[in-house]
Amino acid sequence: MIKTIEYIDGIVRMIDQTRLPVEKQFIDCRTIEEVGHAIKTMVIRGAPAIGVAAAMGASLGADSIEAASFEDFYHAFEEKCDRLGQSRPTAVNLAWAISRMKQTAQKNKSLPITQLKSRLKEEALTILTEDITTNQAMGQHGQTLIKDGNVVLTHCNAGALATAGYGTALGVVRAAANAGKNIKVLANETRPFLQGARLTTWELKEDGIPVKLITDNMCGFFMNKQEVDLVVVGADRIAANGDVANKIGTYMVAVLAKENNIPFYVAAPVSTLDLAITSGKGIPIEKRSSEEVTNINQKRISPEGIEAEHPAFDITYNHLISAIITENGIAYPPFTESLKALANQK
Ligand code: MRU
């Protein structure tokens, strides 16, 4: 299994996703600040993976604090966590993981500081293992929506690399393949950061799951020829009404799927739900640098002086979504009721 992130003796080791597929290199983070930098620069990306990295970063941050009382410890811990929480704004798993680490500290305030630090490390490791089992459960639910011989289109990378392992949307694909279904994947390249071209194709190839790469502007062509049976994507944040924030371009894919009567599914853990936000309009959209659009592999593809827009995510409105697959089951419209029911299920 692909190990996107792991903890080894005071070190958080991550696959450097900016270098894939050309080379498989690892980056070692020894401080919370290094973890924050890795999240910002996309060494690690994908909502659940960002959450796991944040929890591990918080544990490294806790280890570096020298304090005699819980109050002094917590003051420094909260400050470090809040700074880490600003590294990327759209994926709610970042705030979710940090809040879980803060709650763990509060619940264990009576422990001596050294034991509290061990407890925080344990919690970060629990978040990692839970993420994998969550994805496997999501895969089991989701694969029931896939038939033998289906072609599945996906956008961005919502796979093992975007999680602690197995993946959300690609977890559904993996579960279908493991159930003996013959399936093929069409992967949108996902401009501008090319997560589809670089990462989705890489990890499906590693697993021997047939995949073909297409450019983003080809997906309507294949849908219209009835060469796509269903779409499955991941999510960075899901509002209470089922509006979904995901990689820029997802909205376009969903509109095309609707136009061509193709089911459009979102696979995401309950930790990606943000029921405090009523609709997609309230979800913050990260703006990334112009250079990620004007340059490919550090090579400029547009004239000097041309500025580019770069919203990193968009909102897919709930009427375009056929179902949302979670580890607790599949939510169907109307999502306000079905998501709340799944979120409250243990
Ligand atoms: O900018 P990224 O690469 O972090 O964006 C990732 C996505 O949009 C994924 O689809 C989403 O996080 C779900 S990952 C299981």
Side-chain angles (χ1 to χ4, degrees), residues 56 125 127 133 171 174 204 211 231-232 246 255 260 286 304 319:
M56 290 191 170
L125 290 172
I127 290 177
T133 49
R174 281 197 167 90
L204 290 178
V211 56
V231 178
V232 189
N246 193 49
V255 170
N260 290 285
E286 176 183 9
E304 284 296 335
H319 70 275

Side-chain angles (χ1 to χ4, degrees), residues 42 45-48 88 156-158 162 168 195 234-236 246-247 313:
M42 309 279 277
R45 31 65 51 199
R88 290 192 76 191
C156 194
N157 171 265
T168 58
Q195 290 92 331
D236 282 78
N246 193 49
K247 181 51 53 195
F313 300 94

Side-chain angles (χ1 to χ4, degrees), residues 162-180:
T163 61
Y166 204 71
T168 58
L170 294 190
V172 170
V173 165
R174 281 197 167 90
N178 292 343

Side-chain angles (χ1 to χ4, degrees), residues 21 94 103 131 134 157 168 193 204 213 236 246-247 307 335:
L94 177 67
Q103 279 170 26
D131 187 58
T134 292
N157 171 265
T168 58
F193 215 73
L204 290 178
L213 176 65
D236 282 78
N246 193 49
K247 181 51 53 195
E307 287 276 316
F335 291 115

Side-chain angles (χ1 to χ4, degrees), residues 65-273:
I65 298 168
E66 298 206 1
S69 69
F70 175 79
E71 284 65 35
D72 287 351
F73 170 84
Y74 192 75
H75 180 72
F77 184 61
E78 198 172 34
E79 206 170 78
K80 283 177 183 289
C81 283
D82 291 348
R83 215 171 313 125
L84 180 65
Q86 285 161 15
S87 44
R88 290 192 76 191
T90 303
V92 75
N93 307 60
L94 177 67
W96 170 86
I98 287 174
S99 138
R100 185 160 152 180
M101 293 298 282
K102 282 185 189 169
Q103 279 170 26
T104 303
Q106 284 291 352
K107 275 191 213 149
N108 292 282
K109 55 162 64 162
S110 56
L111 289 179
I113 303 291
T114 42
Q115 279 181 41
L116 177 59
K117 291 177 180 175
S118 307
R119 179 66 198 85
L120 286 166
K121 187 184 303 159
E122 213 176 271
E123 190 66 14
L125 290 172
T126 304
I127 290 177
L128 179 138
T129 47
E130 271 179 18
D131 187 58
I132 299 171
T133 49
T134 292
N135 291 335
Q136 287 166 339
M138 204 183 302
Q140 281 316 312
H141 291 298
Q143 67 91 11
T144 60
L145 302 167
I146 303 184
K147 295 193 186 74
D148 190 31
N150 276 177
V151 174
V152 183
L153 185 131
T154 191
H155 189 71
C156 194
N157 171 265
L161 289 167
T163 61
Y166 204 71
T168 58
L170 294 190
V172 170
V173 165
R174 281 197 167 90
N178 292 343
K181 295 175 193 174
N182 254 317
I183 51 167
K184 291 193 182 99
V185 175
L186 271 188
N188 269 2
E189 67 170 346
T190 321
R191 275 280 287 150
F193 215 73
L194 304 175
Q195 290 92 331
R198 297 187 300 107
L199 308 176
T200 293
T201 53
W202 182 79
E203 67 165 84
L204 290 178
K205 184 168 176 251
E206 290 268 303
D207 271 11
I209 296 174
V211 56
K212 270 192 182 161
L213 176 65
I214 58 172
T215 61
D216 301 334
N217 52 3
M218 291 177 190
C219 68
F221 174 84
F222 289 107
M223 287 193 211
N224 190 250
K225 286 208 323 170
Q226 296 297 307
E227 289 185 18
V228 173
D229 296 295
L230 66 152
V231 178
V232 189
V233 297
D236 282 78
R237 197 184 291 229
I238 303 178
N241 70 345
D243 288 351
V244 166
N246 193 49
K247 181 51 53 195
I248 190 74
T250 305
Y251 170 59
M252 168 190 80
V253 177
V255 170
L256 286 165
K258 183 89 172 172
E259 161 77 8
N260 290 285
N261 292 314
I262 294 166
F264 182 93
Y265 300 116
V266 174
V270 162
S271 56
T272 302
L273 300 178

